């Protein structure tokens, strides 16, 4: 309870109102408030436990997906960028081939090939191509921001 200040205050309020309700047993309002605060405490702890369990399950799923993801790493000339983008055609840098490697073997500077429908094997930057929502023929829409224009300062 001490880790969440709000819930700690609710818990203290529950204890205090229960003590006052015990001191004045005929006061139905005190009992009602006490019951309401105890229910808030119990259900808040239950919700926190469920959220923690779901978060751990999602993290495990992402961890398993990362180890099972296969990347198409560019090999040959320009296979690693060393910080600079490679130059080449639609098939990647000139004279380069591809090799299938687990996503966990990717290192900083590796170039990978991703096409529509592929699972992205790791975090990185697009060095060639564009996202689907920038194409005029695309049906996909750009990601939406949850921030309101007033919150971002846009007019």
């Amino acid at each position: 309870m001490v880790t969440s200040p709000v819930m700690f205050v609710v818990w203290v309020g529950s204890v205090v109102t229960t003590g006052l309700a015990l001191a004045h047993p005929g006061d139905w309002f005190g009992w009602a408030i006490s019951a309401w605060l105890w229910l808030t405490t119990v259900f808040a702890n239950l919700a926190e436990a469920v959220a923690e369990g779901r978060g751990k399950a999602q993290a495990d799923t992402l961890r398993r997906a990362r180890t099972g993801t296969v990347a198409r790493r560019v090999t040959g000339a320009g296979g690693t960028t060393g910080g600079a983008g490679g130059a080449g055609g639609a098939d990647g840098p000139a004279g380069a081939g591809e090799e299938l490697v687990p996503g966990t073997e990717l290192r900083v500077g590796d170039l990978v090939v991703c096409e529509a429908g592929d699972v992205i094997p790791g975090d990185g930057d697009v060095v060639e191509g564009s996202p689907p929502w920038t194409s005029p023929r695309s049906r996909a829409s750009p990601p939406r921001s949850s921030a309101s224009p007033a919150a971002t300062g846009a007019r």
Side-chain angles (χ1 to χ4, degrees), residues 8-146:
F8 180 70
V9 169
V10 172
W11 178 76
V12 168
S14 301
V15 171
V16 169
T17 56
T18 301
L20 290 173
L22 288 172
H24 306 286
D27 184 16
W28 65 269
F29 186 73
W31 285 107
I33 295 297
S34 181
W36 190 268
L37 289 174
W38 279 113
L39 287 173
T40 301
T41 304
V42 168
F43 284 117
N45 283 331
L46 176 67
E48 185 178 354
V50 168
E52 183 178 347
R54 292 177 86 184
K56 286 182 179 181
Q58 187 174 14
D60 289 342
T61 301
L62 288 172
R63 211 172 291 118
R64 273 187 264 121
R66 182 171 179 217
T67 58
T69 303
V70 177
R72 294 168 44 197
R73 181 168 51 192
V74 177
T75 61
T80 57
T81 63
D91 296 327
E98 295 177 9
E99 68 176 337
L100 296 177
V101 296
T104 54
E105 287 187 19
L106 292 175
R107 299 292 172 243
V108 174
D110 285 349
L111 291 177
V112 298
V113 177
C114 295
E115 295 176 349
D118 286 352
V119 174
I120 306 299
D123 192 14
D125 297 320
V126 176
V127 294
E128 186 177 321
S130 62
W133 58 83
T134 60
S135 170
R137 295 182 297 166
S138 174
R139 293 185 188 148
S141 61
R144 297 182 182 176
S145 173
S146 61

